[in-house]
Amino acid sequence: MTNPYAISDDTPVYVISVAAELSGMHPQTLRHYDRQGLVSPGRSAGRGRGRRYSLRDVLVLREVQRLSQAGISLPGIKRIMELEGELDQYRAALAEMAAEMAQLRTELESTRAVAARLAGLLRSRGTGGTLVPVRDARTGGPVTGPAAAAPEPPPAARESRPAAREPGPDLPAAGTAGDPPAEAG
């Protein structure tokens, strides 16, 4: 549950006279900067709908004043601020991608470790061993006994018979309503 009385740096709380005093400017200058699109204060509810400035707006006004005193025109200041906004977006995207790359590197190293372990198991068992347990289609359990060691049929035999598929989410089990009707022969 969040605090309904919490105020962030983006909460518009200052009326124009207070924001002007905090930024060291005249209220009319703030109105002009609003019309120019250099700062976009919130609006209060109600009939007057007066401007309400946030702490972040006051900081932007101070930056506008600093750049203006350095001899930069208002259109130039606006462009600088747009570019700084884009730069902040690119930095955030870059940080997000760097975090994702770090996670993928960790996953890759984990996968490599599993692959190395499986390769070691395969080498230790020699030929003919299976790494993945095989399920018996009739019982659903692991294959045991002589069927477990049955050799794989030659490729020609595998091609001539249809591939057997186990029931799954996309294939119903035998004897269910999803089976095609048996042909009378």
Side-chain angles (χ1 to χ4, degrees):
M1 181 171 198
T2 61
N3 182 355
Y5 302 106
I7 295 176
S8 74
D9 291 348
D10 293 318
T11 304
V13 293
Y14 304 113
V15 294
I16 193 166
S17 60
V18 174
E21 187 174 327
L22 290 172
S23 62
M25 298 180 189
H26 191 276
Q28 192 60 36
T29 305
L30 272 63
R31 289 183 188 95
H32 178 69
Y33 289 168
D34 184 11
R35 286 190 296 273
Q36 294 293 315
L38 294 170
V39 66
S40 300
R43 300 288 179 177
S44 63
R47 201 179 74 182
R49 298 204 23 92
R51 293 173 174 88
R52 294 281 189 256
Y53 292 83
S54 68
L55 180 58
R56 192 168 318 277
D57 292 332
V58 171
L59 295 175
V60 167
L61 288 168
R62 287 181 180 173
E63 181 67 10
V64 169
Q65 184 181 38
R66 186 186 69 78
L67 292 171
S68 180
Q69 289 173 348
I72 301 173
S73 67
L74 291 183
I77 293 172
K78 185 175 182 178
R79 184 66 181 142
I80 288 170
M81 293 174 65
E82 288 170 353
L83 291 171
E84 285 178 347
E86 286 180 24
L87 181 60
D88 289 342
Q89 289 175 348
Y90 293 140
R91 284 180 178 153
L94 182 60
E96 185 179 320
M97 285 188 264
E100 187 176 345
M101 280 178 47
Q103 179 184 355
L104 289 172
R105 282 188 179 120
T106 301
E107 291 174 8
L108 177 62
E109 289 304 314
S110 175
T111 303
R112 285 181 176 162
V114 169
R117 186 157 185 223
L118 288 174
L121 285 172
L122 185 60
R123 281 191 298 275
S124 70
R125 287 187 176 191
T127 61
T130 59
L131 294 179
V132 179
V134 178
R135 291 189 302 168
D136 187 332
R138 292 167 291 177
T139 65
V143 175
T144 57
E152 185 68 27
R158 273 185 268 150
E159 292 171 8
S160 64
R161 68 175 185 209
R165 292 182 58 191
E166 291 190 29
D170 62 335
L171 187 64
T176 64
D179 284 346
E183 293 183 23

